[in-house]
Amino acid sequence: MRVLHSGATRVSRSPPTPPARSDPTAAVVRGAARAPLGAVIRVSGAPATPAFRALGAGALVVGAGPTAGIIVEDTAVSRAHVELELVPEGVAVRDLGSRNGTFYLGQRVEKVVLTLGSRLRIGGAELWIEPDVEALRGAPEAGEGGYRGLIGASAAMRQLFAVLARLEGSLVPVLLEGESGVGKEVIARAVHEGSEVASGPLVAVNCGAIGREMASSELFGHRKGAFTGAMEARRGAFEAANGGTLFLDEIGELPLEVQPLLLRALESGEVKPLGSDEARKVKVRLVAATNRDLQGEMRAGRFRDDLFYRLAVVRIGVPPLRERPEDVALLAQGFARDAGLGALPAEVIARFQAHPWPGNARELRNAVQAYAAIGALPFGEATQAAGDPLEAALRASVDPAGSYQDQKEAFVNRFARVYLEMLLARTGGNQSEAARVSGVERSYLGKLLVKHGLGKG
C-alpha cells in the first residue's frame, strides 16, 4: 500500500451499530480521541521564516510581526494577519483584521473552513495548506482482525487499516487507486463509516457509467425543462450526499468538460443544477476511486491537473490480491459466510490460494458464490473454455445426459436460496427494504422466503 501526499446514483445510510465481525482495530479507534489529520503550511511568493510549518493542536498566526508563528516578509502583510487552526474538515481560517485582507479563490474572506490542498493569498504570498502525509506513512500496522468490515492479514492491508483509522478524525478528500475488483467501494464505505459524517448518507456514483450528456445532471441535478426529456426537477448526487459522503467511482472516466464544474463545486461548496441560476450550498466529504493512472491521463490532456490535486489530498493505493496471497483464505471464508455457507473445505481453500485472481477480490467473491450455488469450483479446463467463473462452474456441474427440467429446477432453487439469504443480510432482515432492492412485490417476496425456509409460513 502506498500513501502519497455509476450510472444510477446509490444512496445508503450507515448502520447504527458496528459490523458484526470481530474488529479489534475499530474497537481501539472508537475508544480513543479522534484527532484530525495534521496539516503543513507552506509559504511561496515571499520570504518567510520558517518557509513551512506543521499545524497541530492550537492556532497558528501568520503575519509580518516578530511574534507570528510564520513571519512573512511582505509590506502588504499585517503584523498578525491570519489565524489557522486544524479542524476535522481541514483548516479553519480567520482573518485578524488585516489591512489588505485574506483571499481565497480571488474573494476576500474573514472566516472560512478550507479542505487540505487549498491555497490562501495574503499580500504577495501564497499559503499552501497541505496534508501531513508523513504522519500517514509512519502509521503503525494494525493488528489482525480487520477494520470496519474489511478483512486482511497481509502487511499491506494492516498498514491500510492503520491509515484508515488515522483518517477517522478528518474529512479530507481521499483518492483510492487500484485495479478493478480490489474492493475500492468497500474501502470507501469503511472510510465513510469511520468518519464524523457516518450518520449522513453515503452516495455512490459510477462515473464510467454516466452518459457524457448526463454527467452534469447526475452530479448537480437539473430543473424541470432544463433539456429535452427533463420532465421533472431532479437533485444531483452532491445534494443527495449533503451532510455525508460522496463516492465518485472511476473518476478517470469523467468527461473533460464536466471536470471544471466538479472542481468548482469542491472549491466553493456550491452546486448549480442545470437550468438554474441559483447556487445551493452543500457540505460533503469526497472519496474518489480510479483504476487508471491519473497522472498519465493528465499528461495526455484527458484529466485536469488542478482537479487531480483537489481529489488526491490523500492517495491510498490498494494492492491487487495476487500481491497478498495470505488474504485469500480470509476473504474466501468471509464470502462463504455471506453466502450462507459454513467453513470452506481445506481442499477448496488450497485451490483458491493457487489461483492468480486477475479479477481480484471481486473474482474471488464470484467464485465463492458459484461454489455456493452449484457446489463446484470454477477452475480448470472449463474456466479456460468459458472465461467466466459462473459459466465455468455450470459447465463443471451440468450433466448433459440428465433431465433438463430437473437440473434447471435444482439450479434455480439454489440460486434463489443464496440470493434471498444475501438479500436479507444486506437489508438487515427488513423485508420491505429487501422487496424494494430486489424489485419483487412484498407479498411475493414473503412467499419466496417461506418456500426456501427463510420466512414464517
Side-chain angles (χ1 to χ4, degrees):
M1 188 213 60
R2 63 185 185 281
V3 180
L4 306 177
H5 29 306
S6 152
T9 302
R10 301 188 303 285
V11 184
S12 61
R13 292 190 180 271
S14 299
T17 56
R21 288 195 186 99
S22 172
D23 193 348
T25 304
V28 170
V29 173
R30 283 192 292 272
R34 298 180 178 185
L37 178 65
V40 174
I41 309 302
R42 181 167 59 87
V43 182
S44 65
T49 307
F52 64 91
R53 180 168 176 172
L55 179 61
L60 172 68
V61 173
V62 181
T67 61
I70 295 180
I71 302 171
V72 180
E73 300 177 27
D74 188 312
T75 58
V77 174
S78 299
R79 293 173 63 83
H81 196 110
V82 66
E83 179 184 83
L84 309 175
E85 186 171 7
L86 204 60
V87 295
E89 295 86 350
V91 171
V93 177
R94 183 168 69 94
D95 184 85
L96 298 176
S98 64
R99 298 186 309 275
N100 298 310
T102 300
F103 293 84
Y104 174 64
L105 298 179
Q107 300 293 317
R108 186 166 183 163
V109 295
E110 293 185 0
K111 293 180 68 176
V112 66
V113 176
L114 301 180
T115 60
L116 302 185
S118 301
R119 284 180 287 175
L120 287 171
R121 178 169 289 278
I122 59 172
E126 276 197 319
L127 306 183
W128 297 65
I129 303 173
E130 301 173 340
D132 183 4
V133 294
E134 291 302 325
L136 291 179
R137 289 195 183 101
E141 288 183 5
E144 294 185 7
Y147 174 84
R148 297 190 183 277
L150 303 173
I151 56 176
S154 64
M157 293 306 291
R158 294 201 307 271
Q159 179 66 32
L160 188 148
F161 300 156
V163 169
L164 298 182
R166 181 64 186 86
L167 288 174
E168 287 203 355
S170 300
L171 295 172
V172 296
V174 174
L175 177 64
L176 303 173
E177 300 173 296
E179 297 177 4
S180 293
V182 293
K184 296 187 289 293
E185 183 167 354
V186 181
I187 294 173
R189 177 174 290 279
V191 170
H192 171 71
E193 292 178 353
S195 74
E196 299 290 336
V197 296
S199 60
L202 170 63
V203 177
V205 177
N206 184 345
C207 297
I210 306 174
R212 181 176 298 270
E213 67 284 352
M214 291 300 295
S216 293
S217 172
E218 185 74 23
L219 292 176
F220 312 118
H222 62 255
R223 293 186 60 185
K224 180 179 179 180
F227 52 85
T228 302
M231 306 302 293
E232 296 181 354
R234 180 183 185 275
R235 68 174 183 167
F238 268 88
E239 286 192 83
N242 193 25
T245 299
L246 176 59
F247 174 53
L248 298 181
D249 199 7
E250 303 302 347
I251 188 66
E253 305 284 346
L254 191 68
L256 189 60
E257 61 268 25
V258 180
Q259 293 177 23
L261 302 178
L262 173 58
L263 176 64
R264 182 65 186 176
L266 296 176
E267 290 184 328
S268 67
E270 296 180 341
V271 295
K272 187 180 293 186
L274 289 176
S276 174
D277 295 327
E278 177 187 353
R280 302 174 184 177
K281 295 293 291 185
V282 291
K283 185 177 180 180
V284 300
R285 197 278 179 80
L286 188 79
V287 179
T290 184
N291 60 9
R292 290 191 176 193
D293 174 10
L294 289 188
Q295 291 177 307
E297 295 293 295
M298 288 160 52
R299 290 190 293 271
R302 292 188 292 267
F303 202 85
R304 293 176 61 104
D305 55 355
D306 48 5
L307 178 58
F308 173 81
Y309 291 114
R310 171 59 66 180
L311 297 170
V313 174
V314 172
R315 294 169 63 190
I316 298 179
V318 186
L321 191 54
R322 63 181 173 275
E323 293 181 5
R324 43 190 180 96
E326 56 267 63
D327 292 338
V328 170
L330 279 174
L331 288 169
Q333 295 289 14
F335 293 142
R337 285 193 298 271
D338 292 343
L341 294 177
L344 293 171
E347 60 271 19
V348 172
I349 292 295
R351 293 281 301 278
F352 282 156
Q353 289 177 319
H355 190 68
W357 302 112
N360 292 297
R362 181 186 296 126
E363 182 188 1
L364 175 58
R365 181 194 62 199
N366 291 343
V368 172
Q369 290 176 350
Y371 178 76
I374 57 179
L377 291 176
F379 302 133
E381 294 181 3
T383 304
Q384 302 297 324
D388 175 85
L390 181 56
E391 183 175 343
L394 286 168
R395 288 177 179 273
S397 303
V398 167
D399 179 6
S403 163
Y404 166 80
Q405 191 61 40
D406 290 346
Q407 292 184 76
K408 176 185 175 183
E409 183 176 353
F411 287 141
V412 168
N413 285 335
R414 294 183 72 173
F415 160 76
R417 179 182 56 80
V418 170
Y419 175 81
L420 292 170
E421 287 177 347
M422 296 178 68
L423 177 66
L424 290 176
R426 173 177 175 174
T427 59
N430 186 323
Q431 294 188 17
S432 296
E433 176 68 5
R436 187 192 66 79
V437 170
S438 64
V440 173
E441 289 291 338
R442 174 68 176 80
S443 58
Y444 182 60
L445 176 67
K447 294 177 181 178
L448 286 175
L449 293 174
V450 172
K451 176 182 177 181
H452 294 284
L454 302 173
K456 296 180 181 180

